[in-house]
Amino acid sequence: MKKIPQRTCVICHSKYDKRDLLRIVSDNSGHIFYDPTGKANGRGAYLCKSEECINQFLNKNYLERAFKRKVEKEVVESVRQQLAEKIITK
């Protein structure tokens, strides 16, 4: 039996299977984006799919905490749009 990787939501700290979480990535060139494949290179921050966790992540500078650097408002809005599309289309 293959072991399923577990990851922790950066907001509620609950453990889930990696494929059940949303992954936000900061790649080597500094771009921050939603990674639907879960395989993009770079540092990842995992979020459960609860609206509460997603809103808190985007509204309270968790992007900056997760990637330990300043994040522009445009980048936060871009990630918000990407996540909104994912939630609507699921």
Side-chain angles (χ1 to χ4, degrees):
M1 189 170 92
K2 193 173 180 194
K3 193 173 161 193
I4 297 169
Q6 297 276 296
R7 296 292 182 268
T8 304
C9 173
V10 294
I11 304 298
C12 66
H13 302 291
S14 300
K15 282 199 180 286
Y16 296 94
D17 291 349
K18 182 179 172 184
R19 67 174 166 256
D20 293 336
L21 293 168
L22 304 170
R23 183 171 187 247
I24 312 301
V25 177
S26 173
D27 67 13
N28 295 340
S29 61
H31 291 94
I32 295 176
F33 57 94
Y34 164 62
D35 172 24
T37 66
K39 295 178 181 171
N41 286 331
R43 180 174 181 83
Y46 292 88
L47 279 174
C48 66
K49 295 178 181 173
S50 91
E51 215 171 297
E52 201 174 294
C53 285
I54 293 168
N55 287 334
Q56 193 172 337
F57 183 76
L58 294 171
N59 294 333
K60 298 211 171 143
N61 288 342
Y62 272 92
L63 267 174
E64 293 186 358
R65 279 191 227 170
F67 301 121
K68 298 181 174 107
R69 64 188 178 93
K70 189 86 179 113
V71 177
E72 292 77 34
K73 282 189 170 35
E74 299 80 48
V75 174
V76 174
E77 286 309 310
S78 167
V79 171
R80 185 185 309 276
Q81 280 304 123
Q82 294 166 13
L83 289 174
E85 288 165 20
K86 162 70 179 160
I87 292 164
I88 292 166
T89 58
K90 78 172 175 180

